[in-house]
Structures are given as structure tokens and as C-alpha cells.
Amino acid sequence: SSCLSLVDMLTRPGVEDERIFTHIEEMFRTLMYLREPLSMERAQLFYSWFALRLLSFLGNVASFSACVFCREDLTETLFALPEMGGGACERCTEAEQKYLSSISSITWKLLRMLQGASCEDIAYVSAQKIAFKEANSFISSILEHVPADGELHGYRTISSILA
């Protein structure tokens, strides 16, 4: 229901987009055939995957492979800039580093993987729990900066149900 709520809050009534309906179908089809119950972190990762893909359909593509300022590959120390929909390299953020959150390279790899993964891939991706939490937290922060018709509560809802 969190994913459907997200669609309702980010799209205009009456506007049809076949990609969004296919995206919803893929999510439910994958969840229906899972062999194991979802942990809270993995359920939130599914939501993060869903949100990233939905945002890209709506023209708001997050940047996890290139610095949002200089567009160079993000291979060095990475800093989270959710309000800009991605990350920045150390060189571009030297003056602001004390105010920025550093993100682990494993989390950035996970975020990049989420952008191109199928829903089924999310069911089987393995990473440390902290990487799942960091990735989910970052996507949650990005969603806070997206104009929506209401409060986005997907992560809190998932936490409440699975806690």
C-alpha cells in the first residue's frame, strides 16, 4: 500500500502512464512469489527501488554514479546531497564537508544497482544490513525533497508493520 500511496501522491489524477502500471505489477508479482518473509530493511529496499524507478518515470532521475556538480565519476569519498538527488565528490564539497554526510562505497554501489535492477533482483541482493539502512535513509531523504500531494510515509508504515 505504501507504493500505491506514493504513486497517488506523485502523479496527477487522470494521467495514464503504462510504465507505472507495469512497475506496480512487477512489484506485486515479485512479492507474491517470495519464498521467505521480508525483513524490515529488505521491505524498505523494495520501497526504495520502487520510488527510484517511479521518480525516473516522472523525470526526476537520481545521480549515484556522477557528482551532481562536476559530473565526474563518483569513485572517491562520496557525500550525500539528497536535496539535489545524488551525491558529490570530495573535491566539489571541500568547503561544506563538515555539514555533509559521508556515504559508504558499498551503499553507493547498492544505490546504483537499485536504479537498474529488476524487482526480482532486489529479493536476492545481499549486503550488510547497514548498507540497506543507509540506502533506504538516503532514498527517504530524496523523497522529502520531491513535491508531493501529502506526506510520504512509506518507510514509517513498513517499519510499523514489520517491527
Side-chain angles (χ1 to χ4, degrees):
S1 74
S2 293
C3 293
L4 296 177
S5 177
L6 184 65
V7 170
D8 285 344
M9 288 189 218
L10 297 181
T11 58
R12 283 183 260 133
V15 176
E16 294 181 26
D17 188 331
E18 185 68 31
R19 298 170 303 170
I20 294 173
F21 291 108
T22 302
H23 187 46
I24 293 168
E25 284 179 340
E26 180 183 5
M27 176 77 149
F28 285 116
R29 194 175 330 108
T30 300
L31 292 175
M32 194 166 53
Y33 292 108
L34 288 177
R35 290 177 252 153
E36 298 176 15
L38 291 174
S39 68
M40 181 173 48
E41 291 80 17
R42 188 167 303 274
Q44 290 177 338
L45 195 67
F46 272 104
Y47 182 76
S48 292
W49 169 81
F50 187 89
L52 277 176
R53 183 78 49 94
L54 178 62
L55 288 174
S56 73
F57 293 155
L58 301 173
N60 190 351
V61 181
S63 177
F64 300 131
S65 56
C67 174
V68 295
F69 296 115
C70 69
R71 307 306 305 157
E72 293 291 321
D73 287 344
L74 284 174
T75 55
E76 52 191 73
T77 305
L78 311 167
F79 295 92
L81 292 169
E83 67 278 5
M84 296 188 72
C89 66
E90 189 171 23
R91 190 174 54 254
C92 289
T93 58
E94 284 177 353
E96 304 295 325
Q97 281 181 13
K98 62 183 174 188
Y99 303 109
L100 299 174
S101 300
S102 180
I103 298 280
S104 72
S105 60
I106 292 171
T107 300
W108 280 109
K109 287 178 186 175
L110 180 60
L111 289 167
R112 276 182 249 158
M113 189 273 313
L114 283 176
Q115 284 186 307
S118 71
C119 192
E120 191 173 338
D121 293 337
I122 305 307
Y124 301 107
V125 68
S126 63
Q128 296 174 341
K129 202 178 216 182
I130 190 70
F132 281 17
K133 285 182 178 184
E134 242 182 3
N136 291 330
S137 176
F138 188 68
I139 301 303
S140 176
S141 296
I142 287 175
L143 288 171
E144 288 175 14
H145 294 89
V146 173
D149 291 337
E151 182 184 351
L152 301 176
H153 55 79
Y155 293 101
R156 283 195 318 269
T157 301
I158 293 167
S159 296
S160 297
I161 293 170
L162 296 176

